[in-house]
Coordinates of all heavy atoms in Angstrom, one line a residue:
M1500 N -9.1 8.9 7.7 CA -7.9 9.2 6.9 C -7.3 8.0 6.4 O -7.1 7.0 7.1 CB -7.0 10.0 7.8 CG -5.8 10.5 7.0 SD -4.8 11.6 8.0 CE -3.2 11.2 7.5
A1501 N -6.9 7.9 5.1 CA -6.2 6.8 4.5 C -4.8 6.6 5.0 O -4.2 7.7 5.5 CB -6.1 7.0 3.0
K1502 N -4.4 5.4 5.2 CA -3.0 5.1 5.6 C -2.0 5.8 4.7 O -2.2 5.9 3.5 CB -2.8 3.7 5.7 CG -1.9 3.2 6.7 CD -2.0 1.7 6.9 CE -0.7 1.4 7.8 NZ -0.4 0.0 7.8
Q1503 N -0.9 6.3 5.2 CA 0.1 7.0 4.5 C 1.4 6.2 4.5 O 1.7 5.4 5.4 CB 0.3 8.4 5.0 CG -0.8 9.2 4.9 CD -1.1 9.9 3.6 OE1 -0.2 10.6 3.1 NE2 -2.2 9.6 3.0
L1504 N 2.3 6.4 3.5 CA 3.6 5.9 3.5 C 4.6 7.0 3.9 O 4.4 8.1 3.5 CB 4.1 5.5 2.1 CG 3.4 4.3 1.4 CD1 3.6 4.4 -0.2 CD2 4.0 3.1 1.9
H1505 N 5.6 6.6 4.7 CA 6.7 7.6 4.9 C 7.7 7.4 3.8 O 8.2 6.3 3.6 CB 7.3 7.5 6.2 CG 8.4 8.5 6.5 ND1 8.0 9.8 6.7 CD2 9.7 8.4 6.5 CE1 9.2 10.6 6.9 NE2 10.1 9.7 6.6
V1506 N 8.0 8.5 3.1 CA 8.9 8.4 1.9 C 10.1 9.3 2.1 O 10.0 10.5 2.6 CB 8.1 8.9 0.7 CG1 9.0 8.8 -0.6 CG2 6.9 8.0 0.4
E1507 N 11.3 8.7 1.8 CA 12.5 9.5 1.8 C 13.2 9.3 0.5 O 13.3 8.2 -0.1 CB 13.5 8.8 2.8 CG 13.1 8.8 4.2 CD 13.4 10.1 5.0 OE1 14.3 10.9 4.6 OE2 12.6 10.4 6.0
L1508 N 13.4 10.5 -0.2 CA 14.1 10.4 -1.5 C 15.5 11.1 -1.3 O 15.5 12.2 -0.9 CB 13.3 11.2 -2.6 CG 14.0 11.4 -3.9 CD1 14.3 10.0 -4.6 CD2 13.1 12.2 -4.9
V1509 N 16.5 10.3 -1.5 CA 17.9 10.7 -1.1 C 18.7 10.6 -2.4 O 18.8 9.5 -3.0 CB 18.4 9.8 0.0 CG1 19.8 10.3 0.5 CG2 17.5 9.9 1.2
A1510 N 19.5 11.7 -2.7 CA 20.5 11.5 -3.7 C 21.9 11.3 -3.0 O 22.0 11.4 -1.7 CB 20.5 12.8 -4.5
V1511 N 22.9 11.3 -3.8 CA 24.3 10.9 -3.2 C 24.6 11.9 -2.1 O 25.1 11.4 -0.9 CB 25.3 10.9 -4.3 CG1 26.7 10.8 -3.7 CG2 25.1 9.7 -5.3
E1512 N 24.4 13.1 -2.3 CA 24.9 14.2 -1.3 C 23.9 14.9 -0.4 O 24.2 15.7 0.4 CB 25.8 15.2 -2.0 CG 27.0 14.6 -2.6 CD 28.0 15.5 -3.2 OE1 27.8 16.8 -3.0 OE2 28.8 15.2 -4.0
E1513 N 22.5 14.5 -0.7 CA 21.6 15.2 0.1 C 20.3 14.5 0.1 O 19.9 13.8 -0.8 CB 21.4 16.7 -0.5 CG 20.8 16.6 -1.9 CD 20.5 18.0 -2.5 OE1 20.3 19.0 -1.8 OE2 20.6 18.1 -3.7
K1514 N 19.5 14.8 1.1 CA 18.1 14.4 1.1 C 17.3 15.3 0.2 O 17.3 16.5 0.5 CB 17.5 14.5 2.6 CG 16.1 13.9 2.7 CD 15.5 14.1 4.1 CE 16.2 13.1 5.1 NZ 15.6 13.0 6.4
V1515 N 16.6 14.8 -0.7 CA 15.9 15.6 -1.7 C 14.5 15.9 -1.3 O 14.0 17.0 -1.4 CB 15.9 14.9 -3.1 CG1 15.1 15.7 -4.1 CG2 17.4 14.6 -3.5
W1516 N 13.8 14.8 -0.7 CA 12.4 15.0 -0.3 C 12.0 14.0 0.8 O 12.5 12.9 0.7 CB 11.4 14.8 -1.5 CG 10.0 15.2 -1.2 CD1 9.5 16.5 -1.3 CD2 8.9 14.4 -0.7 NE1 8.2 16.5 -0.9 CE2 7.9 15.2 -0.6 CE3 8.9 13.1 -0.4 CZ2 6.6 14.7 -0.1 CZ3 7.7 12.6 0.1 CH2 6.6 13.4 0.2
S1517 N 11.3 14.5 1.7 CA 10.8 13.6 2.8 C 9.4 14.0 3.2 O 9.2 15.2 3.4 CB 11.8 13.7 4.0 OG 11.4 12.9 5.1
G1518 N 8.5 13.0 3.4 CA 7.3 13.3 3.9 C 6.3 12.1 3.8 O 6.8 11.0 3.5
E1519 N 5.0 12.4 3.9 CA 4.0 11.3 3.8 C 3.4 11.4 2.5 O 3.1 12.4 1.9 CB 2.9 11.6 4.9 CG 3.5 11.6 6.3 CD 4.2 10.4 6.7 OE1 3.6 9.3 6.6 OE2 5.4 10.4 7.3
A1520 N 3.1 10.1 2.0 CA 2.4 10.0 0.7 C 1.4 8.9 0.6 O 1.6 8.0 1.4 CB 3.5 9.8 -0.4
E1521 N 0.5 9.0 -0.4 CA -0.5 7.9 -0.5 C 0.1 6.7 -1.4 O -0.2 5.6 -1.2 CB -1.7 8.4 -1.2 CG -2.5 9.3 -0.3 CD -3.8 9.8 -0.9 OE1 -4.0 9.6 -2.2 OE2 -4.6 10.4 -0.2
M1522 N 1.1 7.1 -2.3 CA 1.6 6.1 -3.2 C 2.9 6.6 -3.8 O 3.1 7.8 -3.9 CB 0.6 5.8 -4.4 CG 1.0 4.8 -5.4 SD -0.4 4.6 -6.6 CE 0.3 3.2 -7.4
V1523 N 3.8 5.7 -4.1 CA 5.1 6.0 -4.7 C 5.1 5.1 -6.0 O 4.8 3.9 -5.9 CB 6.3 5.7 -3.9 CG1 7.5 5.9 -4.7 CG2 6.2 6.5 -2.6
M1524 N 5.4 5.7 -7.2 CA 5.6 4.9 -8.5 C 6.9 5.1 -9.0 O 7.5 6.3 -9.0 CB 4.5 5.4 -9.4 CG 3.1 5.2 -9.0 SD 1.9 6.3 -9.6 CE 2.2 7.7 -8.6
A1525 N 7.5 4.1 -9.4 CA 9.0 4.1 -10.0 C 9.1 3.0 -11.0 O 8.5 2.0 -11.0 CB 10.0 4.0 -8.9
R1526 N 10.0 3.4 -12.0 CA 10.3 2.4 -13.0 C 11.7 1.7 -12.6 O 12.7 2.3 -12.4 CB 10.5 3.0 -14.4 CG 10.5 2.0 -15.5 CD 10.3 2.7 -16.8 NE 11.4 3.6 -17.2 CZ 12.4 3.3 -17.9 NH1 12.5 2.0 -18.4 NH2 13.4 4.1 -18.1
T1527 N 11.6 0.4 -12.3 CA 12.7 -0.5 -12.0 C 13.1 -1.3 -13.2 O 12.5 -1.3 -14.3 CB 12.4 -1.4 -10.8 OG1 11.5 -2.4 -11.3 CG2 11.8 -0.6 -9.7
T1528 N 14.3 -1.9 -13.1 CA 14.8 -2.8 -14.1 C 13.8 -3.9 -14.4 O 13.9 -4.6 -15.5 CB 16.1 -3.3 -13.8 OG1 16.1 -4.0 -12.6 CG2 17.2 -2.2 -13.8
E1529 N 12.9 -4.2 -13.5 CA 11.9 -5.3 -13.6 C 10.6 -4.8 -14.1 O 9.7 -5.6 -14.4 CB 11.7 -6.0 -12.3 CG 13.0 -6.7 -11.8 CD 13.5 -7.8 -12.7 OE1 12.7 -8.6 -13.1 OE2 14.7 -7.9 -12.9
G1530 N 10.4 -3.5 -14.3 CA 9.2 -2.9 -14.8 C 8.7 -1.8 -13.8 O 9.3 -1.5 -12.8
E1531 N 7.5 -1.2 -14.2 CA 6.9 -0.1 -13.4 C 6.4 -0.7 -12.1 O 5.8 -1.8 -12.0 CB 5.7 0.5 -14.2 CG 5.1 1.7 -13.5 CD 6.0 2.9 -13.8 OE1 6.8 3.0 -14.6 OE2 5.7 3.9 -13.0
L1532 N 6.6 0.0 -11.0 CA 6.3 -0.5 -9.6 C 5.5 0.7 -9.0 O 5.9 1.7 -8.9 CB 7.5 -0.8 -8.9 CG 7.4 -1.2 -7.4 CD1 6.8 -2.6 -7.4 CD2 8.7 -1.3 -6.8
G1533 N 4.3 0.3 -8.4 CA 3.5 1.1 -7.6 C 3.5 0.6 -6.1 O 3.2 -0.6 -5.9
V1534 N 3.8 1.5 -5.2 CA 3.9 1.1 -3.8 C 2.8 1.8 -3.0 O 2.8 3.0 -3.0 CB 5.3 1.4 -3.2 CG1 5.3 0.9 -1.7 CG2 6.3 0.7 -4.0
L1535 N 1.9 1.0 -2.4 CA 0.9 1.5 -1.5 C 1.2 1.1 0.0 O 2.0 0.2 0.1 CB -0.5 0.9 -1.9 CG -1.1 1.3 -3.3 CD1 -2.3 0.5 -3.7 CD2 -1.5 2.8 -3.2
P1536 N 0.5 1.7 0.9 CA 0.8 1.4 2.4 C 0.5 -0.2 2.4 O -0.5 -0.7 1.9 CB -0.3 2.1 3.1 CG -0.5 3.3 2.3 CD -0.3 2.9 0.9
G1537 N 1.3 -0.9 3.2 CA 1.2 -2.3 3.5 C 1.8 -3.2 2.4 O 1.7 -4.5 2.4
H1538 N 2.5 -2.5 1.4 CA 3.2 -3.3 0.4 C 4.3 -4.3 1.0 O 4.9 -3.9 2.0 CB 3.9 -2.3 -0.6 CG 4.4 -3.0 -1.9 ND1 5.4 -3.8 -1.9 CD2 3.8 -2.9 -3.1 CE1 5.6 -4.3 -3.2 NE2 4.6 -3.6 -4.0
A1539 N 4.5 -5.4 0.5 CA 5.5 -6.3 0.9 C 6.8 -5.7 0.7 O 7.1 -4.9 -0.2 CB 5.4 -7.7 0.1
P1540 N 7.8 -6.0 1.7 CA 9.2 -5.4 1.6 C 9.9 -5.9 0.3 O 9.7 -7.0 -0.2 CB 9.9 -6.1 2.8 CG 8.8 -6.4 3.7 CD 7.6 -6.7 2.9
L1541 N 10.6 -5.1 -0.4 CA 11.4 -5.4 -1.5 C 12.5 -4.4 -1.7 O 12.5 -3.3 -1.1 CB 10.4 -5.5 -2.7 CG 9.8 -4.2 -3.3 CD1 10.8 -3.5 -4.3 CD2 8.6 -4.6 -4.1
L1542 N 13.4 -4.8 -2.6 CA 14.6 -3.9 -3.1 C 14.6 -4.0 -4.6 O 14.6 -5.1 -5.1 CB 15.9 -4.4 -2.4 CG 17.1 -3.6 -2.9 CD1 17.0 -2.1 -2.3 CD2 18.3 -4.2 -2.3
G1543 N 14.4 -2.9 -5.2 CA 14.4 -2.9 -6.7 C 15.5 -1.9 -7.1 O 15.7 -0.8 -6.6
Q1544 N 16.1 -2.2 -8.3 CA 17.1 -1.3 -8.9 C 16.3 -0.4 -9.8 O 15.5 -0.9 -10.7 CB 18.1 -2.1 -9.8 CG 19.2 -1.3 -10.4 CD 20.2 -2.1 -11.2 OE1 20.2 -3.4 -11.1 NE2 21.2 -1.4 -11.7
L1545 N 16.5 1.0 -9.7 CA 15.9 1.9 -10.6 C 16.4 1.8 -12.0 O 17.6 1.6 -12.3 CB 16.0 3.3 -10.1 CG 15.5 3.6 -8.7 CD1 16.0 4.9 -8.2 CD2 14.0 3.5 -8.7
A1546 N 15.4 1.9 -13.0 CA 15.8 2.0 -14.4 C 16.4 3.3 -14.8 O 16.0 4.3 -14.2 CB 14.7 1.6 -15.3
E1547 N 17.3 3.3 -15.7 CA 17.8 4.6 -16.3 C 17.4 4.8 -17.7 O 17.6 3.9 -18.5 CB 19.3 4.6 -16.1 CG 19.8 4.7 -14.7 CD 21.3 4.9 -14.5 OE1 21.7 6.0 -15.0 OE2 22.0 4.0 -14.1
P1548 N 17.0 6.0 -18.2 CA 16.7 7.0 -17.2 C 15.3 6.7 -16.6 O 14.6 5.9 -17.1 CB 16.5 8.3 -18.2 CG 16.1 7.7 -19.4 CD 16.8 6.4 -19.5
G1549 N 15.0 7.3 -15.4 CA 13.8 6.9 -14.8 C 13.2 8.1 -14.0 O 13.7 9.2 -14.0
Q1550 N 12.0 7.9 -13.6 CA 11.3 8.9 -12.9 C 10.7 8.2 -11.5 O 10.4 7.0 -11.5 CB 10.0 9.4 -13.6 CG 10.3 10.5 -14.6 CD 9.0 11.1 -15.2 OE1 7.9 10.6 -15.0 NE2 9.1 12.2 -15.7
V1551 N 10.6 9.1 -10.4 CA 9.9 8.6 -9.3 C 8.8 9.6 -9.1 O 9.0 10.8 -9.1 CB 10.8 8.6 -8.1 CG1 10.0 8.4 -6.8 CG2 12.0 7.6 -8.2
R1552 N 7.6 9.1 -9.0 CA 6.4 9.8 -8.8 C 5.9 9.6 -7.4 O 5.6 8.5 -7.1 CB 5.4 9.6 -9.9 CG 5.9 9.9 -11.3 CD 4.9 9.7 -12.4 NE 4.2 8.4 -12.4 CZ 4.8 7.3 -12.9 NH1 6.0 7.3 -13.4 NH2 4.1 6.2 -12.9
I1553 N 5.6 10.7 -6.7 CA 5.1 10.6 -5.3 C 3.8 11.2 -5.3 O 3.6 12.4 -5.5 CB 6.1 11.4 -4.3 CG1 7.4 10.8 -4.4 CG2 5.5 11.2 -2.9 CD1 8.5 11.6 -3.8
K1554 N 2.7 10.4 -5.0 CA 1.3 11.0 -5.0 C 1.0 11.3 -3.5 O 1.0 10.5 -2.6 CB 0.3 9.8 -5.4 CG -1.1 10.3 -5.5 CD -2.0 9.2 -6.0 CE -3.5 9.8 -5.9 NZ -4.5 8.6 -6.0
L1555 N 0.7 12.6 -3.3 CA 0.4 13.1 -2.1 C -1.1 13.1 -1.8 O -2.0 12.9 -2.7 CB 0.9 14.6 -1.9 CG 2.4 14.8 -2.3 CD1 2.7 16.3 -2.4 CD2 3.2 14.0 -1.3
A1556 N -1.5 13.3 -0.6 CA -2.9 13.4 -0.2 C -3.6 14.5 -1.0 O -2.9 15.6 -1.2 CB -3.1 13.6 1.3
G1557 N -4.8 14.4 -1.4 CA -5.5 15.4 -2.1 C -5.3 15.3 -3.6 O -5.6 16.2 -4.3
G1558 N -4.6 14.4 -4.1 CA -4.4 14.2 -5.5 C -3.2 14.9 -6.2 O -2.9 14.7 -7.3
K1559 N -2.4 15.6 -5.3 CA -1.2 16.3 -5.9 C -0.1 15.2 -6.0 O -0.1 14.1 -5.4 CB -0.7 17.3 -4.9 CG -1.6 18.5 -4.7 CD -1.2 19.5 -3.9 CE -2.1 20.6 -3.6 NZ -2.4 21.5 -4.7
Q1560 N 0.8 15.5 -7.0 CA 1.8 14.5 -7.3 C 3.1 15.3 -7.5 O 3.1 16.3 -8.1 CB 1.5 13.8 -8.6 CG 2.6 12.8 -9.0 CD 2.0 12.0 -10.2 OE1 1.3 11.0 -10.0 NE2 2.6 12.2 -11.3
I1561 N 4.3 14.9 -7.0 CA 5.6 15.4 -7.3 C 6.4 14.4 -8.1 O 6.3 13.1 -7.8 CB 6.3 15.6 -5.9 CG1 5.5 16.5 -5.0 CG2 7.7 16.2 -6.2 CD1 6.1 16.6 -3.7
T1562 N 7.1 14.8 -9.1 CA 7.8 13.9 -10.0 C 9.3 14.4 -10.0 O 9.6 15.5 -10.1 CB 7.3 14.0 -11.5 OG1 5.8 13.6 -11.4 CG2 8.1 13.0 -12.3
Y1563 N 10.2 13.3 -9.9 CA 11.6 13.6 -9.9 C 12.2 12.8 -11.0 O 11.8 11.5 -11.2 CB 12.3 13.3 -8.6 CG 12.0 14.2 -7.5 CD1 10.9 14.0 -6.6 CD2 12.8 15.3 -7.3 CE1 10.7 15.0 -5.7 CE2 12.5 16.2 -6.3 CZ 11.5 16.0 -5.4 OH 11.2 16.9 -4.4
E1564 N 13.1 13.3 -11.8 CA 14.0 12.5 -12.7 C 15.1 12.0 -11.9 O 15.8 12.7 -11.2 CB 14.5 13.4 -13.8 CG 13.5 14.1 -14.7 CD 12.7 13.2 -15.6 OE1 13.2 12.1 -15.9 OE2 11.5 13.6 -16.0
V1565 N 15.4 10.6 -12.0 CA 16.4 10.0 -11.2 C 17.3 9.3 -12.2 O 17.0 8.8 -13.3 CB 15.8 9.0 -10.1 CG1 15.0 9.8 -9.2 CG2 15.1 8.0 -10.7
A1566 N 18.6 9.1 -11.7 CA 19.6 8.4 -12.4 C 20.2 7.5 -11.5 O 20.7 7.8 -10.4 CB 20.7 9.3 -13.0
G1567 N 20.1 6.1 -11.8 CA 20.8 5.2 -11.0 C 20.2 5.0 -9.6 O 19.5 5.9 -9.1
G1568 N 20.4 3.9 -8.9 CA 20.1 3.8 -7.6 C 19.1 2.7 -7.3 O 18.9 1.8 -8.2
F1569 N 18.5 2.7 -6.2 CA 17.6 1.7 -5.7 C 16.4 2.2 -5.0 O 16.4 3.3 -4.5 CB 18.3 0.7 -4.6 CG 19.5 0.0 -5.3 CD1 20.8 0.6 -5.4 CD2 19.3 -1.2 -5.9 CE1 21.8 0.0 -5.9 CE2 20.4 -1.8 -6.5 CZ 21.7 -1.2 -6.5
L1570 N 15.3 1.4 -5.0 CA 14.1 1.7 -4.2 C 13.9 0.6 -3.2 O 14.0 -0.6 -3.6 CB 12.9 1.8 -5.1 CG 11.6 1.9 -4.5 CD1 10.8 3.1 -5.2 CD2 10.7 0.6 -4.6
S1571 N 13.7 1.0 -1.9 CA 13.7 0.0 -0.8 C 12.3 0.2 -0.2 O 12.0 1.3 0.2 CB 14.8 0.1 0.2 OG 14.5 -0.6 1.3
V1572 N 11.5 -0.9 -0.1 CA 10.3 -0.8 0.6 C 10.4 -1.7 1.8 O 10.8 -2.8 1.9 CB 9.1 -1.5 -0.3 CG1 7.8 -1.4 0.4 CG2 8.9 -0.7 -1.6
A1573 N 10.1 -1.0 3.0 CA 10.1 -1.7 4.3 C 8.9 -1.4 5.0 O 8.1 -0.6 4.6 CB 11.3 -1.1 5.1
P1574 N 8.6 -2.2 6.1 CA 7.4 -2.0 6.9 C 7.1 -0.5 7.3 O 5.9 0.0 7.4 CB 7.5 -2.8 8.1 CG 8.4 -3.9 7.6 CD 9.4 -3.2 6.7
D1575 N 8.2 0.3 7.5 CA 8.0 1.6 8.0 C 8.0 2.7 6.8 O 7.9 3.9 7.1 CB 9.1 2.1 9.0 CG 10.5 1.9 8.5 OD1 10.7 1.2 7.5 OD2 11.5 2.4 9.1
G1576 N 8.1 2.2 5.6 CA 8.0 3.3 4.5 C 8.9 2.9 3.3 O 9.3 1.8 3.2
V1577 N 9.1 3.9 2.4 CA 9.8 3.7 1.2 C 11.0 4.7 1.2 O 10.9 5.9 1.5 CB 8.9 4.1 0.0 CG1 9.7 3.9 -1.4 CG2 7.7 3.1 0.0
T1578 N 12.2 4.1 0.8 CA 13.4 4.9 0.6 C 13.8 4.7 -0.8 O 14.0 3.6 -1.3 CB 14.4 4.5 1.6 OG1 14.0 4.6 2.9 CG2 15.7 5.4 1.5
V1579 N 14.1 5.9 -1.5 CA 14.7 5.9 -2.7 C 16.1 6.5 -2.7 O 16.3 7.6 -2.2 CB 13.8 6.7 -3.8 CG1 14.5 6.7 -5.1 CG2 12.4 6.2 -3.9
L1580 N 17.1 5.6 -3.0 CA 18.5 6.0 -3.0 C 19.0 6.1 -4.4 O 19.1 5.2 -5.1 CB 19.4 5.0 -2.3 CG 18.9 4.7 -0.8 CD1 19.6 3.5 -0.3 CD2 19.2 5.9 0.0
A1581 N 19.1 7.4 -4.9 CA 19.4 7.7 -6.3 C 20.8 8.4 -6.4 O 21.2 9.1 -5.4 CB 18.4 8.6 -6.9
E1582 N 21.5 8.1 -7.5 CA 22.7 8.9 -7.7 C 22.5 10.3 -7.9 O 23.2 11.1 -7.4 CB 23.5 8.3 -9.0 CG 24.0 6.8 -8.7 CD 24.6 6.2 -9.9 OE1 25.1 7.1 -10.8 OE2 24.7 5.0 -10.1
S1583 N 21.4 10.7 -8.6 CA 21.0 12.1 -8.7 C 19.5 12.0 -8.8 O 18.8 11.1 -9.3 CB 21.6 12.7 -9.9 OG 21.1 12.2 -11.1
A1584 N 18.9 13.2 -8.3 CA 17.3 13.4 -8.4 C 17.2 14.8 -8.6 O 17.6 15.7 -7.8 CB 16.8 12.9 -7.2
T1585 N 16.5 15.1 -9.7 CA 16.1 16.5 -9.9 C 14.6 16.7 -10.2 O 14.0 15.9 -10.8 CB 16.8 17.1 -11.2 OG1 16.5 16.2 -12.4 CG2 18.3 17.2 -11.0
P1586 N 14.0 17.7 -9.6 CA 12.5 17.9 -9.8 C 12.1 17.9 -11.4 O 12.8 18.6 -12.1 CB 12.2 19.2 -9.1 CG 13.4 19.5 -8.3 CD 14.6 18.9 -8.9
A1587 N 11.2 17.2 -11.7 CA 10.6 17.2 -13.1 C 9.4 18.1 -13.1 O 9.0 18.5 -14.2 CB 10.3 15.8 -13.6
S1588 N 8.8 18.3 -12.0 CA 7.6 19.1 -12.0 C 7.3 19.7 -10.6 O 7.8 19.1 -9.5 CB 6.4 18.3 -12.4 OG 6.2 17.2 -11.4
A1589 N 6.5 20.7 -10.5 CA 6.0 21.2 -9.3 C 4.9 20.3 -8.8 O 4.3 19.6 -9.7 CB 5.7 22.6 -9.4
P1590 N 4.4 20.3 -7.5 CA 3.3 19.5 -7.2 C 2.1 19.9 -8.1 O 1.8 21.0 -8.3 CB 3.0 19.9 -5.7 CG 4.3 20.3 -5.3 CD 5.0 21.0 -6.4
Q1591 N 1.4 18.9 -8.6 CA 0.2 19.2 -9.4 C -1.0 18.3 -9.1 O -0.8 17.2 -8.4 CB 0.6 18.8 -10.9 CG 1.2 17.5 -11.1 CD 1.7 17.2 -12.4 OE1 1.0 17.4 -13.4 NE2 2.9 16.8 -12.6
S1592 N -2.1 18.7 -9.4 CA -3.3 18.0 -9.2 C -3.5 16.9 -10.2 O -3.1 17.2 -11.4 CB -4.6 18.8 -9.1 OG -4.4 19.7 -8.0
R1593 N -4.1 15.8 -10.0 CA -4.3 14.8 -10.9 C -5.8 14.5 -11.1 O -6.6 14.5 -10.2 CB -3.7 13.5 -10.6 CG -2.2 13.6 -10.8 CD -1.5 12.5 -11.2 NE -1.9 12.2 -12.6 CZ -1.1 11.4 -13.3 NH1 0.0 10.9 -12.8 NH2 -1.4 11.0 -14.5

């Protein structure tokens, strides 16, 4: 089994999504960022408007429209702290 990332997507007032993923992709003010297991720690400011895409095992992907916030990569996983996050799509195969 491939290594997984623990991902937390949190908006101002609620936890939006939490679980295991193969990859997280987000657009930051510095450009598009893809995070795989073992990625170096970093803190990035999310670009506005932006999307966070979470690639799940089996090729499924969840996409959220986000406004404002940060993406934090730590040894134990990825946390996305957004001012708001709304689903852009249901899980889909790629």
Side-chain angles (χ1 to χ4, degrees):
M1500 182 171 144
K1502 208 169 170 199
Q1503 299 278 300
L1504 291 164
H1505 182 73
V1506 180
E1507 300 274 338
L1508 176 59
V1509 181
V1511 171
E1512 297 186 14
E1513 66 180 331
K1514 184 183 290 187
V1515 176
W1516 190 87
S1517 177
E1519 302 301 309
E1521 292 183 346
M1522 183 177 189
V1523 176
M1524 294 149 288
R1526 195 165 64 95
T1527 69
T1528 56
E1529 299 296 316
E1531 187 78 16
L1532 178 68
V1534 180
L1535 294 167
H1538 195 288
L1541 69 83
L1542 179 64
Q1544 182 178 357
L1545 296 172
E1547 289 191 62
Q1550 282 189 338
V1551 173
R1552 297 181 311 281
I1553 303 167
K1554 183 179 176 193
L1555 306 174
K1559 295 184 186 288
Q1560 181 174 284
I1561 303 172
T1562 304
Y1563 288 90
E1564 300 289 339
V1565 295
F1569 297 89
L1570 174 129
S1571 172
V1572 180
D1575 60 342
V1577 177
T1578 303
V1579 178
L1580 303 168
E1582 290 177 25
S1583 68
T1585 56
S1588 67
Q1591 54 186 304
S1592 295
R1593 287 214 71 160

